[in-house]
Short mmCIF file of all heavy atoms in Angstrom, two decimals:
data_model
loop_
_atom_site.label_atom_id
_atom_site.label_comp_id
_atom_site.label_asym_id
_atom_site.label_seq_id
_atom_site.Cartn_x
_atom_site.Cartn_y
_atom_site.Cartn_z
N GLU A 8 1.64 32.71 -11.59
CA GLU A 8 0.33 33.38 -11.24
C GLU A 8 -0.47 32.49 -10.36
O GLU A 8 -0.48 31.18 -10.54
CB GLU A 8 -0.42 33.62 -12.53
CG GLU A 8 0.21 34.65 -13.53
CD GLU A 8 -0.61 34.82 -14.75
OE1 GLU A 8 -1.80 35.16 -14.61
OE2 GLU A 8 -0.09 34.59 -15.82
N MET A 9 -1.15 33.07 -9.41
CA MET A 9 -2.09 32.38 -8.58
C MET A 9 -3.43 33.09 -8.73
O MET A 9 -3.53 34.28 -8.50
CB MET A 9 -1.63 32.40 -7.10
CG MET A 9 -0.20 31.83 -6.91
SD MET A 9 0.50 32.05 -5.27
CE MET A 9 -0.50 30.87 -4.28
N GLN A 10 -4.44 32.29 -9.05
CA GLN A 10 -5.77 32.87 -9.38
C GLN A 10 -6.83 32.30 -8.48
O GLN A 10 -7.07 31.08 -8.40
CB GLN A 10 -6.10 32.58 -10.83
CG GLN A 10 -5.16 33.19 -11.80
CD GLN A 10 -5.41 32.78 -13.25
OE1 GLN A 10 -6.27 31.94 -13.52
NE2 GLN A 10 -4.69 33.40 -14.23
N GLN A 11 -7.41 33.15 -7.64
CA GLN A 11 -8.50 32.80 -6.72
C GLN A 11 -8.20 31.54 -5.89
O GLN A 11 -8.99 30.61 -5.83
CB GLN A 11 -9.80 32.62 -7.54
CG GLN A 11 -10.38 33.86 -8.07
CD GLN A 11 -10.81 34.87 -6.95
OE1 GLN A 11 -10.21 35.95 -6.81
NE2 GLN A 11 -11.83 34.47 -6.22
N ILE A 12 -7.03 31.54 -5.25
CA ILE A 12 -6.59 30.40 -4.49
C ILE A 12 -7.23 30.43 -3.11
O ILE A 12 -7.15 31.37 -2.34
CB ILE A 12 -5.04 30.44 -4.35
CG1 ILE A 12 -4.33 30.28 -5.70
CG2 ILE A 12 -4.60 29.28 -3.37
CD1 ILE A 12 -4.56 28.99 -6.38
N ASN A 13 -7.84 29.27 -2.80
CA ASN A 13 -8.30 28.99 -1.42
C ASN A 13 -7.71 27.74 -0.93
O ASN A 13 -7.48 26.81 -1.73
CB ASN A 13 -9.88 28.89 -1.40
CG ASN A 13 -10.57 30.18 -1.55
OD1 ASN A 13 -10.84 30.85 -0.55
ND2 ASN A 13 -10.82 30.61 -2.77
N LYS A 14 -7.44 27.66 0.34
CA LYS A 14 -6.97 26.41 0.94
C LYS A 14 -7.64 26.17 2.25
O LYS A 14 -7.62 27.00 3.15
CB LYS A 14 -5.43 26.46 1.19
CG LYS A 14 -4.84 25.18 1.73
CD LYS A 14 -4.98 24.01 0.71
CE LYS A 14 -4.39 22.74 1.23
NZ LYS A 14 -4.59 21.60 0.30
N VAL A 15 -8.28 25.01 2.31
CA VAL A 15 -9.04 24.63 3.55
C VAL A 15 -8.44 23.32 4.03
O VAL A 15 -8.29 22.36 3.27
CB VAL A 15 -10.56 24.45 3.24
CG1 VAL A 15 -11.32 24.03 4.46
CG2 VAL A 15 -11.06 25.79 2.68
N PHE A 16 -8.21 23.23 5.32
CA PHE A 16 -7.82 21.96 5.93
C PHE A 16 -8.92 21.49 6.88
O PHE A 16 -9.58 22.31 7.55
CB PHE A 16 -6.53 22.16 6.79
CG PHE A 16 -5.31 22.50 5.93
CD1 PHE A 16 -4.82 23.77 5.89
CD2 PHE A 16 -4.64 21.47 5.29
CE1 PHE A 16 -3.70 24.06 5.17
CE2 PHE A 16 -3.48 21.76 4.53
CZ PHE A 16 -3.00 23.04 4.49
N GLY A 17 -9.16 20.20 6.89
CA GLY A 17 -10.14 19.66 7.81
C GLY A 17 -11.54 19.89 7.37
O GLY A 17 -11.82 20.41 6.28
N SER A 18 -12.49 19.50 8.20
CA SER A 18 -13.94 19.72 7.95
C SER A 18 -14.68 19.80 9.23
O SER A 18 -14.15 19.47 10.30
CB SER A 18 -14.42 18.52 7.05
OG SER A 18 -14.31 17.33 7.77
N GLY A 19 -15.95 20.22 9.13
CA GLY A 19 -16.77 20.38 10.29
C GLY A 19 -16.14 21.28 11.35
O GLY A 19 -15.66 22.38 10.99
N LEU A 20 -16.13 20.84 12.56
CA LEU A 20 -15.66 21.70 13.66
C LEU A 20 -14.13 21.93 13.57
O LEU A 20 -13.59 22.96 14.10
CB LEU A 20 -15.96 21.07 15.02
CG LEU A 20 -17.46 21.02 15.36
CD1 LEU A 20 -17.62 20.29 16.72
CD2 LEU A 20 -18.04 22.45 15.47
N SER A 21 -13.43 21.04 12.86
CA SER A 21 -11.96 21.17 12.75
C SER A 21 -11.59 21.91 11.45
O SER A 21 -10.37 21.97 11.13
CB SER A 21 -11.25 19.80 12.81
OG SER A 21 -11.72 18.98 11.73
N LYS A 22 -12.53 22.43 10.70
CA LYS A 22 -12.21 23.09 9.47
C LYS A 22 -11.51 24.38 9.67
O LYS A 22 -11.86 25.23 10.52
CB LYS A 22 -13.55 23.35 8.74
CG LYS A 22 -13.40 24.06 7.39
CD LYS A 22 -14.78 24.23 6.70
CE LYS A 22 -14.67 24.98 5.42
NZ LYS A 22 -15.98 25.23 4.77
N VAL A 23 -10.38 24.55 8.95
CA VAL A 23 -9.59 25.77 8.99
C VAL A 23 -9.39 26.35 7.59
O VAL A 23 -8.88 25.64 6.69
CB VAL A 23 -8.23 25.54 9.68
CG1 VAL A 23 -7.42 26.86 9.72
CG2 VAL A 23 -8.36 24.96 11.03
N HIS A 24 -9.90 27.57 7.35
CA HIS A 24 -9.70 28.17 5.98
C HIS A 24 -8.42 29.02 6.06
O HIS A 24 -8.42 30.11 6.62
CB HIS A 24 -10.98 29.08 5.75
CG HIS A 24 -11.10 29.37 4.32
ND1 HIS A 24 -12.34 29.65 3.74
CD2 HIS A 24 -10.20 29.46 3.29
CE1 HIS A 24 -12.20 29.93 2.48
NE2 HIS A 24 -10.92 29.80 2.15
N VAL A 25 -7.36 28.43 5.51
CA VAL A 25 -6.01 29.06 5.68
C VAL A 25 -5.74 30.17 4.65
O VAL A 25 -5.18 31.22 5.02
CB VAL A 25 -4.92 28.00 5.58
CG1 VAL A 25 -3.52 28.55 5.66
CG2 VAL A 25 -5.11 26.85 6.59
N LEU A 26 -6.14 30.03 3.45
CA LEU A 26 -5.96 31.02 2.41
C LEU A 26 -7.30 31.42 1.79
O LEU A 26 -8.10 30.55 1.51
CB LEU A 26 -5.00 30.55 1.26
CG LEU A 26 -3.57 30.22 1.70
CD1 LEU A 26 -2.75 29.74 0.45
CD2 LEU A 26 -2.90 31.47 2.34
N HIS A 27 -7.55 32.68 1.64
CA HIS A 27 -8.84 33.24 1.12
C HIS A 27 -8.62 33.97 -0.23
O HIS A 27 -8.08 35.08 -0.22
CB HIS A 27 -9.44 34.14 2.19
CG HIS A 27 -9.74 33.56 3.43
ND1 HIS A 27 -10.97 33.12 3.88
CD2 HIS A 27 -8.98 33.34 4.52
CE1 HIS A 27 -10.94 32.63 5.04
NE2 HIS A 27 -9.69 32.76 5.49
N ASP A 28 -9.14 33.43 -1.30
CA ASP A 28 -9.21 34.08 -2.60
C ASP A 28 -7.92 34.90 -2.93
O ASP A 28 -7.93 36.11 -3.25
CB ASP A 28 -10.39 35.09 -2.58
CG ASP A 28 -11.74 34.34 -2.39
OD1 ASP A 28 -11.92 33.24 -2.91
OD2 ASP A 28 -12.63 34.92 -1.71
N ILE A 29 -6.82 34.13 -2.93
CA ILE A 29 -5.51 34.78 -3.18
C ILE A 29 -5.32 34.98 -4.66
O ILE A 29 -5.47 34.06 -5.47
CB ILE A 29 -4.38 33.88 -2.66
CG1 ILE A 29 -4.47 33.70 -1.11
CG2 ILE A 29 -3.01 34.43 -3.09
CD1 ILE A 29 -4.12 34.95 -0.29
N ASN A 30 -5.01 36.22 -5.02
CA ASN A 30 -4.57 36.51 -6.43
C ASN A 30 -3.22 37.14 -6.33
O ASN A 30 -3.01 38.11 -5.63
CB ASN A 30 -5.60 37.52 -7.11
CG ASN A 30 -6.92 36.83 -7.41
OD1 ASN A 30 -7.01 35.97 -8.24
ND2 ASN A 30 -7.94 37.20 -6.66
N PHE A 31 -2.32 36.60 -7.11
CA PHE A 31 -0.88 37.04 -7.05
C PHE A 31 -0.19 36.69 -8.31
O PHE A 31 -0.46 35.67 -8.92
CB PHE A 31 -0.18 36.34 -5.85
CG PHE A 31 1.26 36.56 -5.70
CD1 PHE A 31 1.74 37.72 -5.17
CD2 PHE A 31 2.20 35.64 -6.20
CE1 PHE A 31 3.09 37.99 -5.09
CE2 PHE A 31 3.54 35.87 -6.10
CZ PHE A 31 4.03 37.07 -5.53
N SER A 32 0.75 37.57 -8.70
CA SER A 32 1.59 37.25 -9.80
C SER A 32 3.01 37.73 -9.56
O SER A 32 3.26 38.71 -8.84
CB SER A 32 1.07 37.91 -11.12
OG SER A 32 1.09 39.30 -10.98
N ALA A 33 3.95 36.99 -10.15
CA ALA A 33 5.38 37.27 -9.96
C ALA A 33 6.07 37.36 -11.35
O ALA A 33 6.00 36.38 -12.13
CB ALA A 33 6.07 36.26 -9.09
N ALA A 34 6.63 38.50 -11.60
CA ALA A 34 7.19 38.74 -12.98
C ALA A 34 8.69 38.50 -12.93
O ALA A 34 9.38 38.64 -11.92
CB ALA A 34 6.89 40.16 -13.43
N ALA A 35 9.19 38.13 -14.11
CA ALA A 35 10.68 38.05 -14.31
C ALA A 35 11.27 39.38 -14.06
O ALA A 35 10.73 40.46 -14.43
CB ALA A 35 11.00 37.58 -15.72
#
Side-chain angles (χ1 to χ4, degrees):
E8 295 181 55
M9 302 172 74
Q10 300 175 352
Q11 289 296 114
I12 296 293
N13 286 270
K14 184 63 179 179
V15 178
F16 292 103
S18 60
L20 293 176
S21 62
K22 180 178 177 180
V23 180
H24 199 152
V25 179
L26 296 179
H27 299 261
D28 298 323
I29 298 289
N30 290 291
F31 173 80
S32 62

